[in-house]
Amino acid sequence: MVLIADSGSTKTIWVVAERGKELLRHTSIGLNPHLTSPECFGEVLAEVREQVKRFEINDVYFFGAGCGSEESQQKVADSISLFFPQSRRHIAGDMLGACIAACGEAEGMVGIIGTGSNACLYDGRRIVSQPLSLGYILGDEGSGNHIGKLLLKGYFSQVMPVELREQFGETFQVSYNQMLEKVYREPNANRYLASFVPFAIENKGCDYVQNIVREAFESYFVAQILPLGGKVLNLVGSVAYTFQKELGEVANLHGISLGTILKDPIPGLVTNLS
C-alpha cells in the first residue's frame, strides 16, 4: 500500500492507493521546502498520519514543488521519517511526478502549468533536460501567478478596460497598499497572485483577458518549451487544463501539438505507482 503526495504551491493532494485503486484522499496546504517551515511541515504530516492511520503504508511518494535538489529532497525525507518511520520514502520534484502521470514509461515533453510552471524532456524513467526554474519572481511564465500578475498590473495602471476594471474592483476590493503588502511583504505571494485566475476564467470571452492569457502562454513557450526542441507537449495542471484552447493556439504558432492534458497528476500516479 502506498501514500502518494502531489504538492504544488497552493495545495497538496495525499492519496492512499493499492493495485491501481485510490482508497483515500486528503487535501492540505501546499508544502515547499524552500517556503514552508519545518514546523508547518510537521503539522501537516501529523494531520495526514491521523487520516491514514488505519492503513499500512509501505511506501511514501512525495512529488513536490521545490523538491528538485538533493538538499531539498533530504529535508522532506527527514520530515516524513518522523511520522512514517517504517515506510520507504521516495522524494522528487513535481516535474517528475507530472512525467510519470502523463507519460508513464514512454518518453515525451511534459509541462506543468498551475500556480507555477515548468517543463522538461522525459525518457520514460528520468528527466533528461529541463530549463532552470527561476521561481515566481523571475520565472513561472504562463502560470497562474503570472496571469494574476498581469491582471493586477492592468488594473492598477488603468490599462484594463473600464467595465472590466470596475468588475475586478468590486470582486476583489483590493487597494494599492494591500496589494503591495501581499506581494512584497507577506509570505506566499505566488498563491496570492494566482488567486486572481478565477477572474480570468470567468472573463475568458473578453478580448483583453484573452490577450493577457496568450501573452503569458507565449512567454511560457519561448522561455521553457522551445529550448527543449520537442514537437508534442503533454501538460499537467489546473491552468493548462482550463485554458486548453488558448494553449493549443499558441502551440500551433510554434509548430507544436498538444498531447495528454491532465488537471492533476494523481490518477496517473495511482495507476503507475501502486
Side-chain angles (χ1 to χ4, degrees):
M1 202 168 294
V2 301
L3 174 63
I4 301 169
D6 169 52
S7 187
S9 299
T10 303
K11 65 181 178 181
T12 304
I13 300 175
W14 304 83
V15 168
V16 176
E18 186 176 34
R19 297 175 183 174
K21 293 184 178 180
E22 182 178 320
L23 305 179
L24 177 145
R25 178 177 291 224
H26 176 72
T27 302
S28 73
I29 62 170
L31 298 172
N32 184 320
H34 297 299
L35 303 174
T36 308
S37 68
E39 293 76 19
C40 184
F41 242 104
E43 290 173 4
V44 171
L45 285 166
E47 174 188 316
V48 172
R49 182 181 59 183
E50 182 65 22
Q51 291 289 324
V52 307
K53 63 182 180 182
R54 69 181 185 274
F55 300 104
E56 183 179 344
I57 305 298
N58 299 310
D59 293 86
V60 178
Y61 292 91
F62 188 97
F63 300 99
C67 292
S69 69
E70 290 185 9
E71 180 182 358
S72 59
Q73 289 167 12
Q74 190 60 53
K75 285 182 181 179
V76 175
D78 290 344
S79 294
I80 291 175
S81 68
L82 297 175
F83 296 89
F84 297 93
Q86 305 304 318
S87 304
R88 293 180 291 267
R89 296 168 291 281
H90 315 270
I91 318 299
D94 56 349
M95 191 71 256
L96 182 59
C99 291
I100 295 170
C103 297
E105 296 182 351
E107 63 181 26
M109 183 166 63
V110 181
I112 294 175
I113 311 181
T115 299
S117 69
N118 215 328
C120 75
L121 287 180
Y122 174 66
D123 70 359
R125 292 190 310 107
R126 60 189 180 89
I127 293 169
V128 294
S129 180
Q130 181 176 8
L132 184 66
S133 175
L134 297 177
Y136 77 94
I137 295 177
L138 296 179
D140 274 355
E141 296 88 358
S143 68
N145 70 66
H146 185 188
I147 292 170
K149 193 183 304 181
L150 293 174
L151 286 170
L152 278 175
K153 185 176 180 180
Y155 176 74
F156 284 107
S157 65
Q158 300 188 32
V159 172
M160 185 180 286
V162 175
E163 289 187 6
L164 195 66
R165 189 168 183 272
E166 290 176 353
Q167 182 185 344
F168 189 93
E170 291 173 3
T171 301
F172 297 107
Q173 300 290 314
V174 57
S175 70
Y176 178 69
N177 288 333
Q178 287 172 334
M179 179 273 293
L180 292 178
E181 187 72 22
K182 289 284 187 181
V183 172
Y184 293 104
R185 296 186 180 91
E186 294 185 10
N188 302 314
N190 57 335
R191 296 182 199 172
Y192 170 72
L193 292 168
S195 71
F196 297 101
V197 170
F199 184 84
I201 296 171
E202 183 181 345
N203 292 279
K204 281 175 67 174
C206 171
D207 288 344
Y208 179 80
V209 173
Q210 281 286 305
N211 289 336
I212 276 181
V213 170
R214 288 195 176 92
E215 177 185 343
F217 291 156
E218 175 66 19
S219 297
Y220 176 68
F221 274 83
V222 170
Q224 301 196 46
I225 301 303
L226 297 184
L228 295 173
K231 293 300 180 184
V232 179
L233 174 63
N234 303 284
L235 288 162
V236 176
S238 57
V239 173
Y241 189 82
T242 300
F243 292 102
Q244 294 183 43
K245 176 177 175 290
E246 291 79 7
L247 273 165
E249 291 169 352
V250 175
N252 286 337
L253 293 175
H254 295 286
I256 295 172
S257 60
L258 299 184
T260 299
I261 302 179
L262 303 174
K263 188 173 184 179
D264 73 74
I266 287 295
L269 292 173
V270 168
T271 297
N272 292 307
L273 294 176
S274 65

